[in-house]
Amino acid sequence: MIDAGMCACVLLRRGPGKALLRRLLKETKLTCREIINLAAYLASLHDIGKCHPEFQRQDCGVLTEELKNAGLFFSSGRRFHFRHEFYSEKILKRIWKKEELFPEDIAETLARVLSLHHQGKNGESCSPADKIKEKWESAQEVLENDMRRIFHPPTFGEDMGIFEGDAFAVSLMAIVILSDWIASGPHFEINTDSEDEKTYIRQARHAAQKAVRACGLTAPREFPQPDNFCDMWPMIPRDSLRPLQSECEKTDFSDIRLLLLEAPMGEGKTEAAIYAAARMMAGAGKDGFYIALPTSATSNQMHGRVNELFALHGLPPSRLLHGMAWLADSTAQDNNTNFEESQYVSQWLMPLRRGMLSQYAVGTVDQAMLAAMRIKYGVLRLLGLSDKVLIIDEIHAYDAYMSSIIERLLQWCRALDIPVVLLSATLPSAKKKKMLEAYGAGDFTSLSGYPLLTSVDSFGNVRQTTVDAFIRRKYDFKIRRIMGDNKAIANLAAEKVKDGGCLCLLMDTVRGTQELYPLLKEKLTEDTELIIFHARFTAERRNDIEKECIEKFGKNAGGRRLKKAVLLCTQVVEQSLDLDFDVMITQTAPIDLLLQRAGRVFRHVGTVRPLHIDHPEIYVLVPRSREYGSVGKIYFPLLLDRTEEFLSHSENSNIRVPEDMRKSIEEVYNEKGMMEELEEWGKKAFSEKLQEAQAQSVTLPEPDPEYFFALAMRGSTIFSGGDEEGSPFFMSASTRADADSRRVALLTPELFEKAEASPQDSSIARDVLMRSVSLRLEGDPSGAAVEGERLLKGCLLLCRQSDGLYYFNNSTIIINDDTVGIKIIKKGVM
């Protein structure tokens, strides 16, 4: 109990609990010492429910006999699953009422918080039998009194509402959980035989400081506060500053809590966002930031860019945080610590998986979304974010399901005073309004100007500033009615690069790229390099292709840039990847996504183009009869129809950026359409409402400033599943509406045997996961497929058979082709 209390002290003084400490200092009359003493006292009491005969007899041996002999154990004969944390709540409410330590409503909240330090558990709590109840309750009161004497919690008055609301409750809950884990973990060491309480307390305080530091939960170094933009980004000369960046430099960030940057590609949004985040860190008293991106690929690239910046300022590297990021971490390990939640602790506190608790991290938006979801220990993510600025890139890129979760996350960010920076190139005004209102923005009308900076201060006031564009381009969109005719598409691609140039050929499905590949191979000349890139490659192969694309089409390609090349890909290059092409052919998509894709054409100033390509051309493939097939399952057909109609008008085929960006998007997304469209708009609205309802069922409630939501949820499971089910990448919570895929490892017989025999070996686990891929498979796996354990939990292991194939079940075969990616074949359809 003393150990846990001391860990709470350190977490508030030097760790991720600093944000809670600052908030309570600002919003209550308590001093710094009083707040820390209160947190330590509460953390020390989280396990007081173990002072009960049903818990103490769990050793089923000598202790049970000693309790019987001492008259301290009496069995009713009824068997039940005793949960000590639920009993802690009962004990503390009884003692606090008797001692009048807290007002009743605050006592209710505090006791309920402590009852949830083990999440997703089921069971009962009851008082000891009447014959021995008085003796056990007396022992409980002695324990509470000892903790009160050691940690000196403050005396409470009636006017202390900050201790009742959701923001306080979830922050305290996370502190208690971390304190419990660290005090019970391998880093907490006390070497003393002394029975002197003062000696033990002194050593426990020192051990807590060492353990929290060893777990990497103290902020290592402060990010330098730049006097100006070029101090932060010394590689950007002052005369090359984009107008967006100059406006950020002039902005007073002392009270800005949300900043939305709307600008086209090439305007320096990323650099502006990180500069703004640094200034917002100072204004809000935060110690770090988390950059959230749409995909693992974009996270990997951003992680490299951030670490280059950190190296310039003498900072240690930031953390990379996404499902497969741990593969890059040489310190990943399986922890066999023997206490109740050791499988979670080993993941949260090993060097990589504590990413959301680290000072600076880069990863997928999913990792941030989990903070607002009802998952086991998701409150730790909220705690990690509470001392950071959250940056979310490509905010326009998410469907109604994900957007709804992000909106709930923004509500919690507002409640926890987490500043947020949002970035978008193409954001419809309706979506913009919902995002800003989620963060507490008052009434406002979005300006038509573009690029645009929009800020929300701590009072909800909205300020919008239009800036000039640094780069002005005109994209020439050309409709081609050959979607579905792969021979015609291959011919068009070959024609576009016959005299040189780098072409991006973007298909909306993996199957589309795989079917088109052999036709392209046949049509392209031998001196044309053909690369295929999509999500259905093993992790190892996908990493190689990603690096190859960045080397050959990236900003620093230089002499490595290919003279004649076709990148055949899916939407993996649509978001945030900094690639540059001379021309693009793309299957149809809503106008905002087409504009996003167009940003990959003529992207980098100074790139040498072929003489015959003098302006950016985007060929949009549409079907002859508006039957969209599988593409219509990805994008709403009405938006595809409207996009085609819009681009078919000659005055719209040449879109100027930035001048025409907002007008183009609003015209396609305008719901005041023709009468015959009303039914289709209704279908779209219904589909989005359904996704929003699905999202609401998995998210935390909207934060209440005066009432802890868990008080009204007794008898129900508040936190279910978990995003750390014993595996570094396993994620049972669904952050995406169609996330019914699972990770499958395609292994050689030798590696399959090793994975079965040694699932706790981190080097074997890395080899296995580098050969894994996320697949959507129908039906249940056959007996030949093995569910991974320990570090491989959540991954399905398949062994390559003598015919070179992998058998998921009797009807589904998997082919691993390093050239075109993994194919899923139904028997009889090969």
Side-chain angles (χ1 to χ4, degrees), residues 19 22 280-282 284-288 386-389 416-419:
R22 283 192 291 262
M280 292 164 80
M281 283 164 56
K286 303 300 180 181
D287 284 331
S386 67
D387 204 28
K388 293 182 180 64
V389 176
L416 291 165
D417 194 29
I418 301 169

Side-chain angles (χ1 to χ4, degrees), residues 54-68:
E54 286 294 337
F55 184 87
Q56 294 299 325
R57 78 184 184 106
Q58 287 180 15
D59 77 316
C60 300
V62 175
L63 184 56
T64 302
E65 292 302 314
E66 291 183 355
L67 289 172
K68 288 180 179 178

Side-chain angles (χ1 to χ4, degrees), residues 31-79:
T31 66
C32 179
R33 177 175 291 277
E34 286 174 331
I35 294 168
I36 292 172
N37 287 355
L38 173 64
Y41 165 74
L42 293 170
S44 73
L45 293 172
H46 73 282
D47 272 348
I48 196 171
K50 291 180 178 178
C51 186
H52 187 288
E54 286 294 337
F55 184 87
Q56 294 299 325
R57 78 184 184 106
Q58 287 180 15
D59 77 316
C60 300
V62 175
L63 184 56
T64 302
E65 292 302 314
E66 291 183 355
L67 289 172
K68 288 180 179 178
N69 294 336
L72 291 172
F73 179 74
F74 176 79
S75 176
S76 65
R78 185 174 72 89
R79 298 181 63 86

Side-chain angles (χ1 to χ4, degrees), residues 428 588-594 626 628 632 634-647 665-671 677 680-681 684 688:
T588 188
I591 187 66
D592 53 328
L593 299 183
L594 290 182
R626 292 198 175 182
Y628 296 104
I634 302 172
Y635 308 115
F636 201 71
L638 176 61
L639 294 179
L640 300 179
D641 288 345
R642 279 197 158 200
T643 297
E644 180 184 342
E645 182 181 349
F646 176 79
L647 293 176
I665 295 168
E666 298 304 333
E667 187 164 334
V668 169
Y669 279 85
N670 179 13
E671 296 187 12
E677 289 184 333
E680 292 302 311
W681 279 118
K684 178 176 181 294
E688 290 177 350

Side-chain angles (χ1 to χ4, degrees), residues 44 48 51 60 84 126 134 221 234 285 293 315 379 457 460 523 557 633 729 741 798 814:
S44 73
I48 196 171
C51 186
C60 300
H84 67 274
C126 63
E134 184 177 339
R221 296 181 67 176
L293 297 114
L315 287 170
V379 293
D457 66 19
K523 296 291 183 181
K633 297 178 182 178
F729 64 90
S741 59
L798 297 184
I814 298 172

Side-chain angles (χ1 to χ4, degrees), residues 515-577:
E515 291 177 348
L516 187 55
Y517 183 86
L519 291 170
L520 275 174
K521 196 74 176 171
E522 177 185 328
K523 296 291 183 181
L524 296 174
T525 58
E526 290 185 0
D527 59 343
T528 305
E529 184 158 347
L530 175 60
I531 303 170
I532 182 170
F533 184 25
H534 53 70
R536 205 188 293 166
F537 285 95
T538 62
E540 183 175 40
R541 181 73 182 117
R542 180 169 173 171
N543 287 344
D544 291 342
I545 298 172
E546 182 184 320
K547 290 176 183 176
E548 182 183 7
C549 290
I550 292 170
E551 287 176 359
K552 293 178 177 178
F553 307 113
K555 194 168 190 176
N556 300 315
R560 295 187 300 275
R561 185 175 176 86
L562 300 171
K563 303 300 181 185
K564 292 175 69 173
V566 174
L567 176 65
L568 173 61
C569 62
T570 57
Q571 300 94 325
V572 290
V573 302
E574 179 182 298
Q575 300 163 348
S576 296
L577 274 183

Side-chain angles (χ1 to χ4, degrees), residues 293-304 320-322 362-364:
L293 297 114
T295 65
S296 298
T298 54
S299 302
N300 292 340
Q301 191 175 22
M302 180 63 72
H303 184 240
L320 179 62
L321 188 59
H322 58 68
V362 179
T364 55

